[in-house]
Structure formats: C-alpha cells, structure tokens
Amino acid sequence: MNCKLCNFRCGADRSIKTGKCGIDDKIYIAHYGLHCGEEPFLTGEHGSGTIFFAGCTLRCRYCQNWQISRWDINKGTAGVETVSAKRLVEIFKELQSMGAANINFVSPTPYAHHLMYAIRAAKDNGFTLPFVYNTHGYDSIETIESMKGLIDIYLPDFKYGDDKTGKKFSGAPSMYSHGKEVIKAIYNQTGMLELDGNGVAVKGIAIRHLVIPGHLESSMQVLDFLETVDRRNYISLMSQFHPCDDNYDRDYPELNRTLLPEEYERVVDYARILGFKNLLIQELESHRNYLPDFNEDTVFKD
Ligand code: SF4
C-alpha cells in the first residue's frame, strides 16, 4: 500500500493503481519452464526452473527480454498468466517434478511481497529446492533484507560503473551508487556462492555484468568495486549484448551493434588482472544463442 520494493520508492498504493513500474497488486507470469541457458551452477542436470515475471521497474534500452519486460498492463494480458500465490506454489512443484535444479525468479522485484508469502508457504510444506532471486539489482535495501532466510541464491546484475550511464540507458537514478549498496547487503546476508558435490549452487551470491559496446570504462569501474567486496565471488561476465531497439540510430547509435572481440577481451583481461578467482566468461556468439523469443513455444534456441 506504500510500495518501496524497488529503489524508485514511488510509494504507490498498488491495491488501487499501478506504480511507476506499471504493475498493480496482482501476480503476472509471462513464461515458466526449465532453462538450460543460465550459468552452469544454476542449470544442473535438467535446467533451472525459471519463472519469468511480466513487466519490470527498469526500462533498459537493450533489454533482451523486452517482449515481456515492457509488457503494458493497459494493453491486456494476452500471453501473460495472472496467478494467485497459491498457484505460484503449484508452479514450484510442477518445475520440481520436471527436474529443476532450483526455482529461479526472473525480474522478481515488483512481486517480491508475493514471493515472500509463496516461499514461506512452500517451505512450510517441506519444499526444499533453492530459491534464486534473479534481479536487475535495483531493489530497495529493505526488500533484500526482507528476503533473508527465504531466498537462497541471489543473482543480481551490476550494470553500470557510474550513475550517468545508468540513467541514460536504464532510466533510473543512482544505479551505480545504489547498486553497490545492494551487492554489499546481499553479500553480507548470504556470503559467497556455495556449490554441492555436483557443482550446483545451494546458497550465496553470484553477480552478472553485461559488457556494453563502447562502454568498457564502465565495466572496469564495476570490476574495481566488485574486487573490494570479495575476489572469490562468482562473476558472470556476459558478452551477449544484442541490439533490440528500432530507435538506436536516432537515440543511441553506439548501441546499434554487438560487442567486438577485442572489447570483451579487454574487460576479461582486466578482471583477470584484478585476480577474480571465479570468473565465468561467454562465447562471443552467445548473443545469438541466448536471445529469447517469448512469442514462440520454445523460447530459447539453445
Ligand atoms: S516496484 Fe513499482 S510500485 Fe514499487 S516502488 Fe518500484 S516502481 Fe514503485
């Protein structure tokens, strides 16, 4: 009734109107299923049990999930399922029966209050798979603290090395300065990532950073900060940037291309120089394999 789930802290009473994110007090799911394209420590043998929520608090100009992240509640719910928290718990069990290694909430922030309820209900009924909070990292600190004991694994993005670039490409203030506080709050809550005997994550934090073409200084600034947190943390350094917006030529011409090999190599080399112990790197072709199409029955090619 006074929403402060994300760092916009718009204070909307979502029982009577949508917040700045455009989402009211219901739960909207765009897609769920097993997903083998996540980091190996999440996919396990059969895949991560991903639940993609509709909408998002951010408006990243290069979002590869734009078909669902820019979902507009006012244009109807075609392709989007409105579910209760009880149904959400049933979906957890469905994914478990399919062999999921975990339950992976993608873009969960505006739904965090529902998730707390559903996770508690599932755990009270003996559900044991780890819960993954796969977030853009613009959650409020209170949201992260409220998840203590409920979320097992956090997968926050740390997108930008300065606030100006965050405002420009994601439309949100303080993305760097607030992002640092989020990473520290999560790390203090869970510690570094712990894997079981099969290399599957059971607890902790892993941080994702997507390298943006032409913005290597921002990536290096991100790495400089992460090095101060813990060099043993798992860092997923992603190369899969893909242009997804028809207006790039007009607004952001520098985004109208994929990453160059030499750009990615520079950032990877810098991370190695800083001494990160658990660095995950991608093939440069990843932008083709991991580009989803939520209008297809098979959302991911690979
Ligand atoms: S999640 Fe939505 S309603 Fe809540 S503070 Fe953020 S923008 Fe506002």
Side-chain angles (χ1 to χ4, degrees), residues 3-6 8-10 12 14 19-21 57 110:
C3 188
K4 290 177 181 150
L5 288 172
C6 83
F8 278 118
R9 308 179 73 84
C10 75
R14 291 166 55 189
K20 181 174 166 52
C21 55
T57 50

Side-chain angles (χ1 to χ4, degrees), residues 106-150:
V106 184
S107 295
T109 311
Y111 302 98
H113 54 314
H114 295 297
L115 297 182
M116 292 174 205
Y117 178 85
I119 294 170
R120 268 194 209 105
K123 286 189 185 241
D124 286 350
N125 280 291
F127 193 83
T128 56
L129 284 185
F131 288 99
V132 183
Y133 195 76
N134 186 341
T135 172
H136 49 40
Y138 201 61
D139 307 81
S140 68
I141 298 299
E142 299 98 300
T143 298
I144 299 299
E145 286 171 352
S146 303
M147 290 293 182
K148 188 173 182 181
L150 297 173

Side-chain angles (χ1 to χ4, degrees), residues 16-262:
I16 53 173
K17 63 170 187 173
T18 58
K20 181 174 166 52
C21 55
I23 299 166
D24 61 17
D25 64 351
K26 298 186 187 62
I27 309 173
Y28 301 101
I29 292 179
H31 173 77
Y32 69 92
L34 295 181
H35 180 24
C36 294
E38 301 285 57
E39 285 79 353
F41 56 73
L42 284 182
T43 53
E45 195 177 348
H46 301 291
S48 178
T50 40
I51 301 176
F52 289 84
F53 291 99
C56 186
T57 50
L58 299 182
R59 293 290 180 272
C60 305
R61 300 305 302 258
Y62 48 84
C63 179
Q64 65 173 26
N65 293 350
W66 63 272
Q67 291 161 314
I68 59 172
S69 65
R70 293 187 199 161
W71 170 70
D72 184 346
I73 198 170
N74 298 312
K75 292 190 179 153
T77 52
V80 168
E81 192 182 348
T82 310
V83 303
S84 64
K86 193 172 164 214
R87 167 76 183 126
L88 203 50
V89 177
E90 286 169 10
I91 292 173
F92 299 166
K93 291 179 187 160
E94 211 178 305
L95 290 166
Q96 183 182 38
S97 67
M98 292 161 74
N102 44 54
I103 303 299
N104 182 349
F105 303 121
V106 184
S107 295
T109 311
Y111 302 98
H113 54 314
H114 295 297
L115 297 182
M116 292 174 205
Y117 178 85
I119 294 170
R120 268 194 209 105
K123 286 189 185 241
D124 286 350
N125 280 291
F127 193 83
T128 56
L129 284 185
F131 288 99
V132 183
Y133 195 76
N134 186 341
T135 172
H136 49 40
Y138 201 61
D139 307 81
S140 68
I141 298 299
E142 299 98 300
T143 298
I144 299 299
E145 286 171 352
S146 303
M147 290 293 182
K148 188 173 182 181
L150 297 173
I151 292 294
D152 302 282
I153 300 158
Y154 288 87
L155 196 62
D157 291 337
F158 192 19
K159 291 178 185 288
Y160 306 106
D162 63 274
D163 288 341
K164 201 172 150 205
T165 313
K167 179 80 179 152
K168 182 177 172 188
F169 290 148
S170 293
S174 314
M175 286 216 58
Y176 173 61
S177 35
H178 181 72
K180 289 194 291 186
E181 297 309 312
V182 168
I183 298 290
K184 285 190 277 189
I186 295 174
Y187 179 73
N188 289 339
Q189 185 184 119
T190 67
M192 63 175 289
L193 200 68
E194 295 174 19
L195 310 183
D196 68 12
N198 296 316
V200 179
V202 291
K203 178 179 179 298
I205 181 174
I207 300 138
R208 281 178 168 171
H209 173 69
L210 174 69
V211 183
I212 298 176
H215 289 77
L216 309 192
E217 291 302 323
S218 172
S219 292
M220 290 174 188
Q221 187 85 11
V222 162
L223 292 168
D224 283 341
F225 166 72
L226 293 177
E227 192 263 342
T228 67
V229 179
D230 191 334
R231 271 184 295 174
R232 298 169 303 162
N233 274 332
Y234 280 70
I235 311 293
S236 184
L237 211 45
M238 300 190 293
S239 65
Q240 66 190 64
F241 182 93
H242 194 284
C244 306
D245 192 318
D246 293 340
N247 295 323
Y248 280 150
D249 279 339
R250 188 191 67 203
D251 300 334
Y252 306 105
E254 72 266 41
L255 296 187
N256 204 6
R257 64 172 173 87
T258 55
L259 200 61
L260 301 173
E262 54 270 30

